[in-house]
Amino acid sequence: MIYTVTCNPSLDYRMELEQLRIGKTNRARRTGVLAGGKGLNVSAVLHELGQDNTALGFVAGFVGDEIRLCMERQGCRCAFVQLTEGCSRINVKLQGGETTTELNAPGPEITVDARQSLEQQLDALQDGDVLVLAGSVPDSMGQTVYSDWLAKMEKKKILSVVDAFGEQLIHTLAHHPFLIKPNHHELGALFGVSVTTREQAAVYGRKLLEQGAQNVLVSMSGKGAVLCAADGNVYYQAPAKGTVVHAVGAGDSMIAGFLTGWLETKTYQSALHLGAAAGAATAFSSSLGKGTEIRAIAKTLEFSEIIE
């Protein structure tokens, strides 16, 4: 079973504008409301690709109720911990022209009891399960929570995936996650550099391998993706051709596609190929990519290649 954890889920209110004009009245052409949060996005796309999974995390208040309903409408299985106080957050995504502006709210405080309830769910994971830890963590949980959870699972044969930022990510490397997925901006920020080419992505991705990650998947927007893999190779996937509608959730979709490709074939090239197709399907649509769209793009996409 695949489990995703989203500690700080949201409702994403998406507005498409002709052009975002700061300080002016803006009228949206289209709007939509979706359950948001990196882990929830991964769960939704995994479901589209036929991968059975369960979404874990915390929800609170009437927004939390709507998050649960949104996921269930998509056919996703949820086992959220219900907080007794506070309210889950609402984020606003403004698509103006070719750029997206995100207004992200803080989440509710996570109590000790709530955290323990989630940890009891994680304790029940079995050998062979997959665990995806994705997204931001409320300040009340600290910057080592992902690392703490992976440490408790080291004796189990769990395939772990971490999509986090800064110190939250770095702390997990000692526990050798199967996959981490920084984008090129996040990768550069970890080392205080600017990463703009696939060669640079390979150099700094390998540094994260040296620090403990098994595989490092670097998404590079319109420049494709680079995978520094556990087999010693560096793979490059050229980008799909299409018009970007919005990029929100594309990286999460890439994780879902990569995991699906890996579970189906156990080959890095196939995993990277399907991951890129899933990311593109989301980027080219107004919502998360559908399974049929992902498979169709995969058929047209150049197969990934070894570059080092």
Side-chain angles (χ1 to χ4, degrees):
M1 173 65 75
I2 304 173
Y3 296 89
T4 68
V5 176
T6 309
C7 292
N8 210 6
S10 66
L11 274 186
D12 284 354
Y13 184 41
R14 299 183 177 184
M15 306 179 71
E16 183 180 329
L17 314 170
E18 185 74 31
Q19 181 182 5
L20 177 59
R21 299 179 298 166
I22 303 298
K24 304 290 185 180
T25 298
N26 292 269
R27 300 191 184 280
R29 295 186 297 188
R30 281 182 289 273
T31 65
V33 178
L34 297 171
K38 298 180 76 63
L40 299 191
N41 292 339
V42 174
S43 272
V45 178
L46 282 171
H47 176 74
E48 284 290 328
L49 289 169
Q51 296 295 326
D52 194 21
N53 74 94
T54 300
L56 307 176
F58 306 100
V59 294
F62 75 98
V63 177
D65 294 340
E66 187 62 25
I67 290 172
R68 190 192 308 274
L69 287 173
C70 283
M71 294 299 291
E72 291 174 349
R73 290 189 198 108
Q74 295 178 76
C76 296
R77 182 188 298 110
C78 305
F80 297 128
V81 174
Q82 182 73 45
L83 303 178
T84 57
E85 296 183 4
C87 192
S88 295
R89 59 189 182 146
I90 298 176
N91 293 337
V92 180
K93 316 292 183 180
L94 302 174
Q95 179 71 35
E98 296 182 355
T99 63
T100 300
T101 300
E102 301 187 32
L103 305 176
N104 292 341
E109 181 177 351
I110 308 301
T111 64
V112 173
D113 288 345
R115 175 170 171 168
Q116 289 176 344
S117 294
L118 177 58
E119 290 175 347
Q120 288 174 359
Q121 293 176 312
L122 297 180
D123 288 342
L125 267 62
Q126 303 294 319
D127 289 352
D129 285 339
V130 178
L131 176 63
V132 180
L133 303 173
S136 64
V137 174
D139 292 340
S140 55
M141 299 185 71
Q143 288 299 306
T144 64
V145 61
Y146 285 169
S147 175
D148 296 342
W149 290 342
L150 292 186
K152 293 175 64 176
M153 296 184 186
E154 283 191 330
K155 294 182 180 179
K156 296 182 180 180
K157 296 178 181 179
I158 303 293
L159 204 69
S160 60
V161 178
V162 179
D163 187 8
F165 319 107
E167 291 301 312
Q168 192 72 254
L169 172 63
I170 292 299
H171 286 305
T172 68
L173 299 182
H175 306 295
H176 310 294
F178 170 72
L179 179 71
I180 62 174
K181 199 218 71 64
N183 61 39
H184 63 292
H185 297 299
E186 294 163 346
L187 178 62
L190 290 174
F191 296 97
V193 299
S194 175
V195 174
T196 59
T197 68
R198 67 185 194 179
E199 291 78 15
Q200 291 171 322
V203 168
Y204 291 102
R206 278 182 160 163
K207 289 183 181 295
L208 293 177
L209 293 183
E210 294 170 0
Q211 293 181 38
Q214 295 183 48
N215 299 284
V216 181
L217 175 57
V218 184
S219 54
M220 302 187 68
S221 301
K223 295 183 180 180
V226 171
L227 174 68
C228 299
D231 64 2
N233 293 318
V234 176
Y235 300 89
Y236 171 70
Q237 176 63 60
K241 296 179 181 179
T243 301
V244 174
V245 176
H246 74 84
V248 177
D252 312 323
S253 301
M254 180 176 282
I255 289 176
F258 185 96
L259 271 177
T260 299
W262 175 258
L263 294 172
E264 289 178 348
T265 69
K266 293 297 191 295
T267 67
Y268 290 116
Q269 284 180 292
S270 295
L272 179 57
H273 183 255
L274 190 59
T282 290
F284 297 163
S285 66
S286 59
S287 61
L288 295 174
K290 303 300 182 184
T292 52
E293 297 168 349
I294 294 169
R295 301 288 185 180
I297 290 175
K299 291 180 180 179
T300 67
L301 193 60
E302 293 181 20
F303 204 65
S304 51
E305 59 177 314
I306 297 175
I307 59 172
E308 290 186 26

